[in-house]
Amino acid sequence: MIRDVLRMGDPRLLERSQEVSDPRSARIAALLADMRDTMRAQNGAGLAAPQIGVGLRVVIFGVESNPRYPDAEPVPYTELINPVLMPLSDEMEDGWEGCLSVPGLRGVVPRYRRLRYRGVDPAGNVIERDVDGFHARVVQHESDHLDGILYPMRVRDFTRFGFTDVLFPDIADAPE
Ligand code: NI
């Protein structure tokens, strides 16, 4: 079921989400199905449970070719529960981000370029991956949602924060 996505200003987006005690429960399976439907309907690169009003540490992400991110490298579709992130170096990289909870805007955000992430999938299997670039960026963005952090809070250069259709007129037709 497609759910409403909370928008910036809603206090629920600023809360720390809770650990999932049973990743294999029917409740989590139903949550993930709704998250998947909602992300796909909105053409998002990722979605975190608190964005649909559920304060649990669950994120999904994945990019094949996404009209919202025409230059992004593909990221495999992943359902990640209780994620933990470990940077693999201090190196930071600037890149454009958007968010379904901040519709119509994009901003440049510094993120760790390389990291390891670990969590479990809804079958209870451990997921552990070393990633870089856009994949690392997406995981950091989604995990931030679980700690009540929205990407505009990480923007440092506000000359590179603005409306998508003004910044990128060529992709103005892209679905939000
Ligand atoms: Ni977001």
Side-chain angles (χ1 to χ4, degrees):
M1 187 177 68
I2 297 170
R3 304 271 292 266
D4 288 339
V5 176
L6 306 185
R7 288 178 304 141
M8 184 168 63
D10 191 305
R12 289 171 287 178
L13 290 170
L14 303 177
E15 291 172 2
R16 185 182 188 280
S17 294
Q18 301 299 308
E19 302 281 330
V20 173
S21 54
D22 183 4
R24 295 185 293 178
S25 67
R27 182 189 181 199
I28 295 300
L31 169 64
L32 283 164
D34 284 357
M35 289 174 67
R36 203 160 49 231
D37 291 347
T38 303
M39 183 177 86
R40 292 200 171 136
Q42 305 280 337
N43 244 320
L47 190 72
Q51 290 182 276
I52 58 167
V54 177
L56 291 172
R57 301 186 83 76
V58 176
V59 301
I60 64 173
F61 50 86
V63 182
E64 289 178 18
S65 60
N66 186 325
R68 296 186 72 222
Y69 296 93
D71 299 325
E73 60 235 52
V75 177
Y77 176 70
T78 302
E79 298 176 340
L80 190 62
I81 298 162
N82 298 336
V84 177
L85 276 52
M86 294 148 281
L88 294 174
S89 81
D90 292 336
E91 190 183 347
M92 307 293 283
E93 188 170 69
D94 283 341
W96 288 97
E97 295 187 16
C99 180
L100 296 175
S101 294
V102 191
L105 296 166
R106 295 286 174 90
V108 167
V109 182
R111 299 285 188 186
Y112 289 107
R113 201 182 77 74
R114 295 180 59 233
L115 61 82
R116 173 172 301 154
Y117 66 88
R118 191 182 297 143
V120 293
D121 72 13
N125 301 310
V126 172
I127 297 174
E128 183 177 302
R129 292 181 184 147
D130 291 358
V131 298
D132 61 12
F134 189 69
H135 191 155
R137 174 171 301 278
V138 169
V139 176
Q140 289 170 87
H141 176 114
E142 299 311 329
S143 295
D144 263 358
H145 278 296
L146 306 181
D147 293 324
I149 298 168
L150 300 168
Y151 84 82
M153 301 174 185
R154 295 204 184 273
V155 169
R156 289 186 191 156
D157 176 0
F158 281 92
T159 69
R160 293 193 293 168
F161 180 62
F163 292 97
T164 311
D165 60 341
V166 178
L167 288 161
F168 303 109
D170 294 345
I171 56 167
D173 293 338
E176 190 56 55

